[in-house]
Amino acid sequence: MRKVKDLTGPGITDHFGIGGTDLGVMEVAPDGRLVSVFGDTFEAAGVGGPGWRSPVVLFGDARTATAGIGWTGSIGPKPYAEQALPYQHDTIIHGRRVTTVLPTDLITIGNEMYLHVMVCEGIGNVHWTEIHRSTDNGESWQHTGATWPGDLHGGLFQMLTWGLGDDGWVYAFTTGFRRDQGLMLHRVPAQWIAEPAAWEGWGFRDGVWAWGNPPTIALTGAYGELCLRPLGGRWLLSFFDAGNYRIDVMNLDVPTTNLYEAPRETALHGTSWWRENHGRGRVAQLYGAYIVPGSTLDDLHLVVSQWNTKKNWPYKSMQFAGSAPAAR
């Protein structure tokens, strides 16, 4: 993949009060705008200091997204990007210490948008997950009441990505936030996305895979951030393969495709800081991998994060472009 541009950082998002941030999962709102949700955000370039908030929402022009996303607005008094959800960092919520709330994915269904988040105490420790709804194109978000415990399915229902099928079902791959576990698959009727009891797993029992079985691991490994999107009559699944220190993309016939046999290619390779070469797809301390709306199979764009955990800069999101693996 080739690097298109940096999406956040000095000279790019300062006027939104965003110096350092990461993630940036994206979806098109009902009004056609691009909605992008970022994680832990700070006013200065880096991690720490004033203005800590998460999640944060920026808006862009979806028509020009694959040419290099440009931001047109944010939630909150203009131009400062306010925190999208009403809570305070490092406080007690429902008897648990919550340091931050991190987005994992969002989806548009009809005239509504849904945002899935992890309620965390530090990195990798998820107390619970929940869904928020927007009825005003991502300008504001309200809790739907849908929550799941952090230890559900052995901790494999924390990091989530979802996509809406033509059949009216929302399909979702999930894993844990510790980046040391495999993937599970679930589905829910789109109109009941905020009803936990309506969700069902894809599981192996009595020699066959079937819906309604307890979910079992569909792909072993050690995975982080995920992104599932229907695209060009296919389903693309991009993800941070933490076990192999890279970002991979799969091209699926359907979400229930055997993931061990699906076409899979490495989009970006992790590397050391002194061997970085973004033009050749080598990125130090990379993670994320969210598909940009407007992508095609031949022109696939991904939002990729980078965090130098020793120096705390770079701490930013970037846009890369390439192509999806060919279907077989």
Side-chain angles (χ1 to χ4, degrees):
M1 295 194 109
R2 60 181 176 86
K3 185 175 182 179
V4 178
K5 63 185 294 188
D6 286 342
L7 294 176
T8 63
I12 304 170
T13 51
D14 306 78
H15 57 298
F16 296 113
I18 299 174
T21 193
D22 70 345
L23 306 180
V25 62
M26 298 185 179
E27 181 61 285
V28 176
D31 68 356
R33 284 186 298 176
L34 185 70
V35 179
S36 187
V37 186
F38 294 88
D40 286 322
T41 300
F42 305 89
E43 292 174 3
V47 177
W52 184 17
R53 60 251 199 236
S54 177
V56 166
V57 174
L58 290 180
F59 301 108
D61 186 345
R63 295 170 300 179
T64 62
T66 56
I69 300 162
W71 306 116
T72 60
S74 66
I75 286 181
K78 308 304 181 190
Y80 192 90
E82 298 284 0
Q83 182 169 282
L85 303 180
Y87 76 98
Q88 292 186 352
H89 294 266
D90 202 20
T91 58
I92 303 299
I93 302 176
H94 302 314
R96 301 287 190 94
R97 179 164 297 280
V98 173
T99 55
T100 194
V101 175
L102 299 176
T104 71
D105 206 357
L106 72 163
I107 192 171
T108 298
I109 300 176
N111 292 319
E112 298 179 329
M113 302 189 77
Y114 295 87
L115 172 64
H116 180 270
V117 299
M118 302 181 294
V119 180
C120 305
E121 182 178 357
I123 295 176
N125 183 22
V126 179
H127 290 315
W128 68 86
T129 64
E130 56 192 33
I131 294 178
H132 296 257
R133 177 191 292 111
S134 175
T135 57
D136 57 6
N137 302 292
E139 292 280 356
S140 65
W141 298 87
Q142 296 77 41
H143 200 314
T144 63
T147 64
W148 290 266
D151 61 357
L152 182 66
H153 303 316
L156 282 169
F157 198 85
Q158 297 177 355
M159 201 92 72
L160 173 149
T161 183
W162 47 23
L164 177 61
D166 292 336
D167 56 2
W169 290 84
V170 170
Y171 296 90
F173 283 101
T174 64
T175 189
F177 189 29
R178 296 184 183 275
R179 294 173 172 162
D180 62 357
Q181 296 172 294
L183 303 182
M184 285 183 171
L185 176 62
H186 319 261
R187 71 174 184 178
V188 63
Q191 68 271 27
W192 295 336
I193 192 171
E195 299 291 339
W199 287 67
E200 62 181 6
W202 176 248
F204 187 78
R205 186 170 62 184
D206 299 329
V208 296
W209 287 88
W211 290 112
N213 288 341
T216 48
I217 293 176
L219 183 68
T220 58
Y223 302 106
E225 293 76 23
L226 313 168
C227 189
L228 176 70
R229 295 291 185 269
L231 198 158
R234 310 287 298 174
W235 287 80
L236 292 190
L237 177 63
S238 58
F239 49 88
F240 175 44
D241 184 342
N244 291 300
Y245 192 30
R246 67 194 191 200
I247 286 172
D248 281 5
V249 179
M250 283 186 169
N251 187 333
L252 312 178
D253 293 321
V254 292
T256 54
T257 295
N258 185 335
L259 298 184
Y260 295 96
E261 298 177 355
R264 173 175 176 172
E265 291 181 359
T266 296
L268 295 168
H269 295 268
T271 188
S272 60
W273 286 99
W274 56 89
R275 296 184 66 184
E276 268 203 306
N277 188 327
H278 290 187
R280 294 191 175 185
R282 299 190 177 277
V283 182
Q285 289 196 255
L286 77 175
Y287 57 105
Y290 302 116
I291 297 170
V292 175
S295 292
T296 65
L297 296 175
D298 294 326
D299 187 27
L300 174 64
H301 289 245
L302 299 178
V303 177
V304 177
S305 292
Q306 181 180 50
W307 177 11
N308 186 322
T309 52
K310 289 186 177 180
K311 297 181 178 180
N312 277 334
W313 183 259
Y315 175 65
K316 61 185 179 181
S317 294
M318 306 168 287
Q319 183 174 351
F320 285 82
S323 59
R328 290 197 292 264

